[in-house]
Amino acid sequence: MTLARVVRSGREQHPGSRRRAVAVRRALEALGPLYIKLGQVLSTRPDLVSAAMTDELATLHDNVPAAPFDGFARVLEEELGVGWRRGFRCFDAERPLGSASLAQVYRADMPDGRPVAVKVQRSGVRSVVDADMAVLRRAARWSARLWPEFNAVIDFRAMLDLIFDAVRGELDFTVEARQMEIGRKATGDFAHLTVPEVVRATPRVLVQDLAPGRSIRDAVPDEFTRHERLAIAHDLMAFMYRGYFVERIFHADPHPGNVFVAPGHPAALIDWGMVGRLDRPLSLKLALTLINIVQNDGDGAAKAWIEMGKPTRRADIGGFTSDVAALVPKAATATLAELDFGLTLTAVLRHSTLRGIKTNPAVPLLGKSFANMEGSIRCLAPELSAAEVFRDQLTDIMVDLACETLSEAQIARTMTELLLTADGSYNQARGILRDLADRELQLPVESGNGPGANPTFTRLALLAIAVAAVGYLRRGSSRHDGA
């Protein structure tokens, strides 16, 4: 099966597609946490699965019936000691605040009366997840051999590795605690957003401040002033932008269940087990893509997107550029009530795959994060424009990036790279001059301006010769002055 057939078949609507989508969603929920994360990422991949499937997988939430407390009591005893109950004034073991396939969360009060949430990992869950990872890795290797053309564009194994890395914090709560502290520090500049403070963390138990209010999904907008609603929504979106482009670490699962709000309080972003990370080049290319989108430049957005990935041998660059040009005007002006800015990225992803352009595996995870945050904000302030918030934040983001570029560490790195490049060019130029002297240099030059001509190579060769000649003259001048 060719890649185009795989992608197109994923978008076709057939009788019973909704029923099959529900069956797949239920199967993933039954298989456990890693498959749930995989399904959530697939929900942002319209290039891989049908419209009915993406809609259904978008409803995947890791909620399972609460398990008896006895198993969690053993984990608390193993992690906090036999007298763990003495560390709390009270501990509500009868009514968990939440239950997922990895952990359950309980309400408790510290000895000083401070309300906290206690997250306790399920016994034996790490071995289950490790086994699931091994199975999925084997499936990725199998698919690469069976559909090499498809794998050249999708790179399913790289996508899985990214998911596995992102869930590390969900298997070790000390990792999640460190990620929470990073997030909490990053919210310092936002008056209407916070991350709960970590009280105590072990690999399988996490104690943190109890977030006030309720899930943003259940919020009643009329309980907030319009100014407060928009301020919370603005800070949530601005915080995510800074995570993508400045901090380069972002909350990968900010769905409504992980955003708590209450009138008169900043919003609380919880559950930092799953985070994403971007390297500097990818972050800058993503920023350029979004800048082009908000400036209604489809051609520029397409070029920046291609820079984030890699065209395959069958890539249709012109067709992809036309696809993006048709999408961008809609995203540049729409509010969240009219259009998902994040889902615009996933639509670009679908066209990218169909046109044979390989996308960096971090982009789908980022698209998931973006779409989830937009869905959360829509519950409280659907009139907010994600593009407008990006425009508003752009100046500060650019200033921060410029300061980073001009930092001592970055300048030292840039100068080192330039020196290495110069040394390499100088040695290559010396080789060219030596070949000229020995009459052994051969340049593949063709006359005319036909497709075989290579003016770039010719200019580089001439530049290398000039650099070598200047270096030779300078050394000769230095010897003469010394004499």
Side-chain angles (χ1 to χ4, degrees), residues 41 44-45 154-155 158-159 162-163 244 250 252 276-279 282-283 286 305 308 349 359-369:
V41 171
T44 64
R45 296 300 301 259
I154 300 300
D155 198 349
M159 184 176 73
L162 197 72
I163 297 173
Y244 302 145
F250 59 91
R277 290 176 172 82
L278 301 174
D279 60 29
L282 179 60
S283 176
L286 174 66
W305 183 278
M308 288 196 294
L349 175 62
T359 302
N360 188 294
V363 173
L365 187 65
L366 186 143
K368 171 183 181 296
S369 170

Side-chain angles (χ1 to χ4, degrees), residues 70-88:
D70 291 348
F72 297 98
R74 286 194 296 272
V75 173
L76 284 163
E77 183 175 315
E78 292 168 1
E79 296 292 301
L80 303 183
V82 176
W84 67 267
R85 281 188 179 273
R86 292 195 296 271
F88 302 96

